[in-house]
Amino acid sequence: METEKKIRLRLRFYKDVAENCTQVRDKFVNYRKNLSPDYVMKIRNNHIQFTIGGDKQKYWSPYLTVELEEKEIEGTLGTHIRGLFGPAQTLWTFFIFMHFIVAGIFLTFSMFAFSDYSLNKPIKSDLIIMFVMTIVWFLLYVIARQTRENGHGQMDELEDVFLKIMES
């Protein structure tokens, strides 16, 4: 997967296979029976999620979420697979929470700046805080990119496991 040139933090892929959803799901169920303790796999209906487990798992370890959807392919019933790489849900939630806090502070001080400007009061401190929040937003993005970069090797591992399952 060509990931280095993408701006997106959560990488996606799509794949169409000629087998129906049940057959594809069964491949994952059968693979899970012989799964190495280095991986954790959860299967619920047509939703499959797996990640690195055991001693190799770090806070930045990626998850691969796979959704199976029935789709007509070349006149027969096949499966459309949607894959999504992302961080652990707790880490993702923390980053989203931080973005909302920064956005809230930015919006609050932009309202203060507008109000102070309307009342002919100095707005220098409001603008400074808005500028700092812009820098914090940028830093959150850089941290998220670095976290993704740390997990890139494990993303490749998960992709290899996915492809191995699909070939079986």
Side-chain angles (χ1 to χ4, degrees):
M1 211 182 305
E2 190 67 32
T3 59
E4 298 307 312
K5 296 181 178 128
K6 303 259 184 193
I7 293 177
R8 230 185 283 174
L9 291 176
R10 299 180 75 194
L11 303 173
R12 302 172 194 290
F13 66 90
Y14 305 95
K15 184 176 179 83
D16 290 328
V17 293
E19 300 166 290
N20 67 33
C21 282
T22 306
Q23 292 170 323
V24 175
R25 184 181 184 280
D26 288 343
K27 286 182 178 185
F28 285 94
V29 170
N30 293 334
Y31 189 83
R32 186 172 69 172
K33 292 176 185 173
N34 302 324
L35 191 64
S36 162
D38 289 341
Y39 301 99
V40 177
M41 185 181 294
K42 297 176 185 174
I43 302 172
R44 291 183 201 97
N45 299 326
N46 290 344
H47 178 83
I48 301 158
Q49 185 177 46
F50 59 102
T51 187
I52 305 294
D55 294 336
K56 292 171 54 177
Q57 185 177 25
K58 306 292 183 204
Y59 76 92
W60 41 259
S61 291
Y63 279 68
L64 174 57
T65 302
V66 177
E67 290 287 336
L68 308 175
E69 298 174 351
E70 289 185 357
K71 180 180 180 181
E72 189 170 320
I73 300 170
E74 298 174 8
T76 62
L77 192 61
T79 303
H80 178 69
I81 300 171
R82 292 183 301 139
L84 173 67
F85 287 101
Q89 290 83 358
T90 52
L91 184 63
W92 187 253
T93 303
F94 175 73
F95 267 92
I96 296 300
F97 174 75
M98 292 301 295
H99 278 278
F100 277 117
I101 294 295
V102 170
I105 292 170
F106 183 88
L107 288 174
T108 300
F109 278 90
S110 65
M111 288 185 284
F112 288 166
F114 178 74
S115 177
D116 288 343
Y117 179 77
S118 298
L119 297 172
N120 292 325
K121 291 184 177 180
I123 60 171
K124 183 178 180 181
S125 61
D126 299 328
L127 294 177
I128 289 172
I129 292 175
M130 290 169 58
F131 179 73
V132 168
M133 289 303 108
T134 305
I135 291 172
V136 171
W137 257 328
F138 177 74
L139 288 175
L140 283 173
Y141 177 76
V142 169
I143 291 168
R145 287 289 295 212
Q146 185 61 43
T147 300
R148 186 181 94 177
E149 190 65 35
N150 288 344
H152 196 273
Q154 290 182 344
M155 271 182 10
D156 291 339
E157 269 186 66
L158 292 175
E159 183 181 24
D160 291 343
V161 170
F162 170 78
L163 293 173
K164 184 177 175 182
I165 293 169
M166 293 309 298
E167 289 174 359
S168 63

